[in-house]
Amino acid sequence: MSEITVEIGKRIRNFRKTRKMTLDDLSTIICKSKSTISKYEKGEISIDIETMYDIASALHVHVEQLLYCPPDRVALSYSDNHPAFFNGVSQFYSYLFDGRNNRIIRSVFDVLSKSEHDQYKIMMYMNFSDYEHYTRCENTYYGYIEHFDAVTNISLTNQDTPMERASVQILASFLDSDTKWGLWNGFSSRPIMPIATKMLFSKTPLKENYEFAKSLKISKEDIRLLKLYNMLSVL
């Protein structure tokens, strides 16, 4: 077994389990035997490119989500060294506080590849139980990160619900620091309504405790500025 086929097999199994699909379900959709799919997931046999696309379609994920990214995955690189916060980063993290169930929602962003005009393809895995299996998440988004002067913008599309889109704007990303605040905006699925809230970005996983959760909540100062400007802003 090669490392690549084993890792791809793990991803297929993880997404299949997340979608609550059985081997029989997947085999029926892609017209492959149950034993063949089992061998795919165990990394015992390699997968041809057409079958890879069929599996991605059946699991409602982008095909790049099934591909194995080695530890030295694509890093964000900018010739002018801006934005400093993201430059050289191939994976980063974000946090927001969900007041509906009073808990922190964590996310992992993987940088997949570079496209034209200094855009980078990214995958966002949102709301998972542990970092070791972060791809087993509630919501998966696919999109791009790009830098405009003093602002970095992330545009995303939900892989399960393509009509659901979201974006994040991060101010002063040209200044390097351990963390950076951004404004997350999009549509909530529970209930369906437009929302905007602050999101904290980090280059490394952060310790989650009471004080950290408190910092993610909208504060009295946030409300004061909201009333002053008549808009929700994150500085």
Side-chain angles (χ1 to χ4, degrees):
M1 305 180 196
S2 72
E3 181 182 12
I4 293 176
T5 55
V6 169
E7 290 299 325
I8 289 176
K10 287 180 181 178
R11 289 169 184 248
I12 292 173
R13 185 176 187 276
N14 287 345
F15 282 119
R16 179 176 63 78
K17 291 284 189 180
T18 300
R19 273 42 174 185
K20 295 181 172 26
M21 294 177 64
T22 65
L23 287 172
D24 285 326
D25 293 333
L26 186 54
S27 68
T28 299
I29 296 173
I30 69 169
C31 301
K32 297 281 185 180
S33 69
K34 179 179 175 180
S35 61
T36 296
I37 293 177
S38 179
K39 289 178 181 179
Y40 287 155
E41 293 188 354
K42 293 176 182 177
E44 295 178 354
I45 56 176
S46 58
I47 308 173
D48 63 88
I49 190 65
E50 289 187 4
T51 300
M52 184 81 77
Y53 274 91
D54 288 341
I55 292 174
S57 177
L59 297 175
H60 302 290
V61 299
H62 193 280
V63 69
E64 290 192 34
Q65 291 177 256
L66 301 180
L67 300 180
Y68 170 57
C69 296
D72 56 346
R73 60 173 63 83
V74 175
L76 295 165
S77 178
Y78 298 89
S79 57
D80 59 0
N81 204 37
H82 290 157
F85 179 77
F86 290 103
N87 210 13
V89 173
S90 60
Q91 186 179 72
F92 55 97
Y93 309 84
S94 74
Y95 304 85
L96 61 81
F97 189 84
D98 190 339
R100 295 167 299 184
N101 46 29
N102 292 313
R103 64 189 180 95
I104 295 171
I105 301 296
R106 62 179 78 93
S107 300
V108 170
F109 292 78
D110 280 339
V111 182
L112 302 179
S113 60
K114 184 177 182 180
S115 59
E116 53 187 33
H117 306 307
D118 274 344
Q119 281 188 335
Y120 284 84
K121 294 181 181 178
I122 59 171
M123 200 70 67
M124 176 188 182
Y125 302 93
M126 188 179 204
N127 198 9
F128 50 86
S129 298
D130 63 273
Y131 286 100
E132 186 176 353
H133 303 101
Y134 65 88
T135 58
R136 299 179 188 174
C137 60
E138 181 179 359
N139 294 294
T140 305
Y141 292 85
Y142 177 81
Y144 297 89
I145 180 172
E146 51 192 336
H147 179 64
F148 303 100
D149 296 325
V151 178
T152 293
N153 183 72
I154 301 175
S155 54
L156 301 160
T157 301
N158 192 312
Q159 289 297 290
D160 294 322
T161 312
M163 291 182 63
E164 182 186 336
R165 300 181 181 236
S167 65
V168 188
Q169 291 74 44
I170 303 161
L171 184 64
S173 54
F174 59 86
L175 298 175
D176 199 8
S177 62
D178 293 331
T179 59
K180 188 73 67 175
W181 285 104
L183 180 65
W184 165 274
N185 51 87
F187 281 91
S188 164
S189 58
R190 302 187 309 274
I192 298 177
M193 60 181 180
I195 61 168
T197 190
K198 57 185 185 180
M199 175 178 277
L200 185 66
F201 288 83
S202 174
K203 300 176 187 176
T204 59
L206 300 176
K207 184 178 180 180
E208 300 175 27
N209 52 30
Y210 173 78
E211 289 301 322
F212 181 59
K214 184 178 179 181
S215 71
L216 296 173
K217 296 180 181 180
I218 295 176
S219 65
K220 290 182 178 180
E221 177 62 14
D222 295 327
I223 295 174
R224 185 187 73 81
L225 292 175
L226 190 156
K227 290 181 177 180
L228 178 65
Y229 301 139
N230 197 40
M231 59 184 70
L232 179 60
S233 59
V234 176
L235 302 177

